[in-house]
Amino acid sequence: MCASGKYSSRGPALIPRMKTKHRIYYITLFSVVLLGLIATGMFQFWPHSIESTADWGLDRRSVHDAPLIRLPVANPIPERGDLSCRMHTCFDVYRCGYNPKNRIKVYIYPLQRFVDEVGVPISSTGLSREYNDLLSAISDSEFYTDDVTRACLFVPSIDVLNQNSLRIRETAQALAMLPRWDKGMNHLLFNMLPGGPPDYNTALDVPRDRALLAGGGFSTWTYRQGYDVSIPVYSPLSADVELPERQPGPRRYFILSSQTAIHREYRAELERLKEENGEALLLLDKCSNLSQGVASARKRCYKGQVFDYPQILQESSFCVVLRGARLGQATLSDVLQAGCVPVILADSYILPFSEVLDWKRASVVIPEEKLPEMYTILKSIPHRQVEEMQRQARWFWDAYFSSMKAIGMTTLQIINDRIYPYAARTYEQWNNPPLVKWSSVNSPLFLPLIPPRSPGFTAVVLTYDRIESLFRVITEISKVPSLAKLLVVWNNQNKSPPEGEKKFKCPECTAIDGLSLDQTHMVERSECINKFASVFGTMPLKVVEHRADPVLYKDDFPEKLKSFPNIGSL
Amino acid sequence: MQAKKRYLILFSAGACLILLLYFGGMQTPLSKSNNRRDDRSLDGHHGSPQWHHFSGSLQPFSPWDQMETEEYNVHISPRQKRDVISGVYNGKRCRMDSCFDFSLCKTNGFKVYVYPQQKGEKMSESYQNILSSIEASRFYTSDPGQACLFVLSLDTLDRDILSPQYVHNLRTKVQNLHLWNNGKNHLIFNLYSGTWPDYTEDLGFDFGQAMLAKASIGTENFRPNFDVSIPLFGKDHPSAGGERGYLKYNSIPPYRKYVLVFKGKRYLTGIGSDTRNALYHVHNSEDVVLLTTCKHGKDWQKHKDARCDLDNAEYDKHDYREMLHNSTFCLVPRGRRLGSFRFLEALQAACVPVILSNGWEMPFSEIIHWNTAAVIGDERLLLQIPSTVRSIHQDNILSLRQQTQFLWEAYFSSVERIVLTTLEIIHDRVLQQAARSNLMWNSLPGGLYSLPQYSSYLGDFPFHYAKLGIKPRPKFTAIIHAVTPLVSQSQPILKLLVAVAKSQHCVQVIILWNCDKPLPAKHRWPATAVPVLVIDGESKVMSSRFLPYDTIPTDAVLSLDEDTVLSTTEVDFAFTVWQSFPERIVGYPARSHFWDSNKERWGYTSKWTNDYSMVLTGAAIYHRYYHYLYTSYLPASLRGLVDQLSNCEDILMNFLVSAVTKLPPIKVTQKKQYKETMMVQTSRASRWADPDHFAQRQSCMNKFASWFGSMPLVHSNMRLDPVLFKDQVSILRKKYKDIERL
């Protein structure tokens, strides 16, 4: 802006003295520059002007500045949530539209603080740290749109991660007040701790119409397969504790139980197992001498012996994850992080992200009833498999459990995969840890087909200028009955390829046979191999000691009865 | 003067331009500080305000002490809770936990009982095929006391009341079955339910807590991990074996003449008519050819609309099979019911199915990842379908197409496959933690050939090494099948034992003593570097050489006849070849099969020919998993035949491995003396000397082929030789020189 001011103070003084022709020229020039400057200025300040009118301002850094919304008592409450909802019945797919990127657009409602008529908030925590992290991650992602009219999925800023801190009825009313609620269509709620005493329902109790639920702790009876998303219960330790990946090798304990709120019946069962199998099992409980709080969450005890949690998990091959009042347990996340194979005992539990993750490769699921047989079951698993499961467990944590961002992105990707199934991520993409991705071979031609002879083959001959040997090759190869086509690639810019019959003469071609004997040639090729190996990050070539020959090759057998008598006769 | 001014102006204009550029350049950092665009500039999109990253005083969603304050311990005992479940969740909410009695499967494993057929009950051919598939399977039991799963002999396939196949009074008939127990642990097969006009999924009788294996099942009615969605198949679907997929070779690029085709009925009104009525919008008569006919039913003329005549004319012009085989994608829209015959037709034809059937629970959805073999469309987005399928990259088309063929052959090609897959899915639920993993179901050779009781670990099977990026262990166990008593120290078995034990890859030699004479004393066996284990065969039967002995610690097994002559070099070479082909049989003596068109039966030949399809297990290396498969997968009838004849066990093993891999075995080169020694050995009481031996092998071939439903053997005309084999280089440079020396 200052530049244009400077310019305009000069302009009038100069212009009158000039010839009309020049004047017009300069006026045009200056106005172009001026316009340019204005345009630049406009462009720069444009977002600012929008932001100031936006619902949640730029400089509002505190939650307390979010607008306060009072909920009238009589406000409508959504319906409880329809168990028969599926993508084709309760989800408006037209909002997502066809787009070349095959990516859904997600809108986040601006933050509002809902209170009832007497000013009591609907939630005791308000916006939690974790939900803020989750929404921030979505807004930073490629899924995000701020344009509510283009959105395919709507995420309310009302935090329902933990049902304990919610007032059910008022939260439901708040949801219904969202401007685009429309019976919850295309709305996604995140909840990790559903239900409450005494029954602990396995899905969020807040009435929510048709909204999709990304829930932690679904049971098979509340989970709407193909509609809801089962998510993990985030463990706050994920952010606090750094556990380096443990290298494969023997571990001190075979089975470890670290949960503190285990039903006494199950604890008794575990103790019985411990009696039978001794040192192989470690049964931890909370430490009685420590005060409540963060410190106690990081310690576990066994008969007065204190262990660091979650570090101790790394010392065991298997770690028990028993259901508590809820099916979903944050312990699962800690166990995966430690690279300990979770032994999940929670009947009817829908495992996190089970729509895409192959839990058989990272965990052992045992019916609660079979807890007494746990030791025998686990002992029967081959050692190689246990090591692979440990690696897989850690990789699941890294990719899908480690942060609210990871959990949020995975959830959105799963929904995205449903809406654009033909562009969905593959099983391998979801389940193969990086190590396997690099070392495994997934051939694009995986079906064992033995092609018939009828289509024959195409010969491709690359040539530079050795015409004579080219013709020799052509003559030989054209005798082959199954040759369908012969393609010569003329790889020489300085000469044009020979034409017609004349090409058979090639005086300058001396028989430089054995090009590959050339020393520099070999050195170059070695360099190539090194270069390629470094780009591939590994040496993909494999050495074998066999060669394919015809069945009767060089056998003492009449030549004319052999299918391929001429092989090896050169 | 004029020029000076001009320069001045030019200069100031230049200054302005520079300022302009500077200003423009400033924009990013400016907006960075004001606009929190830092993350977004990395993501490469711009212009939108974001969710505010609130910082500071936020509380955690779950307080540290909360989990512990939940007085879980005061709640009812988990045991009681589990008992309550079965009372609450039944009928439409049935799950394995609540409606299935696992205890029935505990003692005898997964056994299936089929009710005896009652006189006077009519039964469709399809249902007969289903029942006979179960009866021929290894799960079958005729004793209801041993059964874990029960299958009715009442035909429940067609529950359309207007159908001639409809069985009346099913309700009372079922209630009268004394084992019915409100349907607990029962499996009910159904292809058609409901009737005109609304085609509900009602079966017309109360099936209580029974599981459904049902075609055209909707997601709303489908009870996950309890029901099984099966494909709709016609009455002429082969009972066993079945045709292979139509794909003979991969073409690249994979595009065919048509992009998308469909040929089928159009329903003018009523349920399921919308999508088919709208198809003409997408039809372009060039590469998207969607043809419908109104000509079906008695009074179609009454309802016909303006397009019918034109549609009917177009419809008759095209041949369905021609379209099927020449199209990249095939539309599979719902009919009156959710599933349609088009699905299996497209699958077999390697025409990638494009499903338009909202709410259809795809066949065997519990175990098959359909995204890898089909395009799941949305009826609401019919108009986008052409652009959607055109957007699919050719690499994906290639892989989708191959997957259709794998799935077709693994789970759909016959009634038997469909039934076995259904049973195996339920079996997996019973096995619980020992069930197959997704990868076993969705990659070659498929779930029916990957028996989870063997191992739930993929790396224990010969098929997945490359996928997992691992290799088989570089060791083998030799099993020598001994049938003649040990009388002389020059007997071939002793030479063989020494030669094999000398191999650097050998960790153990097992001698299976299937001779009627008692075991020779320990000192009679030569001393070797590796342990020699002598197993006294209990039953002395042929099949015992393929028992999955626990004492085989390695992935590879070298199977040997006692009269086999092999050198250490030959063993070593064969083993290195096997490491490259761990899923195949790699070995020495080869045989071939052929179709004898005069006798209309399969023939067996041991002549030296230019190709082979079997490698005899008298000298072959293969994965130990095939021992397990031979013993557990093959029916007792075939193994019994082998034992009774004391012959054909090697043929059966070759049939089995080729049925699994769809590939021929691999013959490696051998010293030429092998053949001669074999011929000379007629002096001994070798079974090869028996004149009936050969005729038996002919007849075995035909019996095996009929059980497999088709001929699984595949010919090969390749032999694997050491790289420098018989090349004109010094023998000193050759690693496997002994193979060439006579």
Side-chain angles (χ1 to χ4, degrees), chain A residues 202-203 217-224 327 347-350, chain B residues 89:
Chain A
T202 54
F218 275 120
S219 85
T220 175
W221 290 288
T222 46
Y223 179 65
R224 295 169 292 183
L327 289 169
D347 291 354
S348 82
Y349 178 40
I350 304 289
Chain B
Y89 298 108

Side-chain angles (χ1 to χ4, degrees), chain A residues 404-537:
Chain A
M404 289 302 290
K405 177 180 178 178
I407 295 170
M409 289 303 111
T410 310
T411 308
L412 294 185
Q413 188 62 48
I414 288 174
I415 296 171
N416 198 83
D417 280 4
R418 291 180 193 159
I419 293 166
Y420 306 104
Y422 44 88
R425 293 180 66 176
T426 62
Y427 170 90
E428 284 78 16
Q429 285 170 322
W430 282 112
N431 290 288
N432 280 0
L435 188 69
V436 172
K437 267 173 204 152
W438 288 112
S439 59
S440 65
V441 185
N442 281 305
S443 164
L445 302 173
F446 55 84
L447 194 70
L449 286 175
I450 296 176
R453 288 194 175 189
S454 55
F457 70 92
T458 304
V460 181
V461 186
L462 178 73
T463 181
Y464 182 68
D465 62 357
R466 295 190 301 152
I467 309 262
E468 200 166 288
S469 71
L470 169 69
F471 289 144
R472 206 167 55 228
V473 168
I474 292 177
T475 324
E476 275 305 308
I477 220 149
S478 53
K479 289 181 196 158
V480 178
S482 38
L483 177 74
K485 197 178 204 175
L486 198 143
L487 197 69
V488 177
V489 180
W490 187 254
N491 196 22
N492 187 343
Q493 288 187 321
N494 302 322
K495 265 192 232 169
S496 48
E499 284 168 39
E501 299 294 316
K502 282 177 230 160
K503 59 198 179 180
F504 278 91
K505 296 268 151 101
C506 174
E508 70 269 57
C509 301
T510 44
I512 325 167
D513 218 23
L515 181 66
S516 53
L517 289 177
D518 184 348
Q519 200 54 44
T520 53
H521 180 77
M522 298 301 258
V523 171
E524 277 169 14
R525 290 175 78 81
S526 297
E527 277 170 13
C528 283
I529 284 186
N530 282 304
K531 177 77 185 158
F532 297 159
S534 77
V535 171
F536 274 74

Side-chain angles (χ1 to χ4, degrees), chain B residues 26 43 90 130 158 173 207 232 240 288 291 326 349-350 361 414 449 472 479 555 618 673:
Chain B
M26 278 291 283
D43 288 350
N90 48 33
I130 288 178
D158 195 340
K173 281 174 188 166
F207 50 86
L232 184 64
V288 177
L291 305 172
N326 291 298
E361 188 70 34
S414 65
Y449 288 125
I479 300 184
D555 292 332
Q673 71 198 38

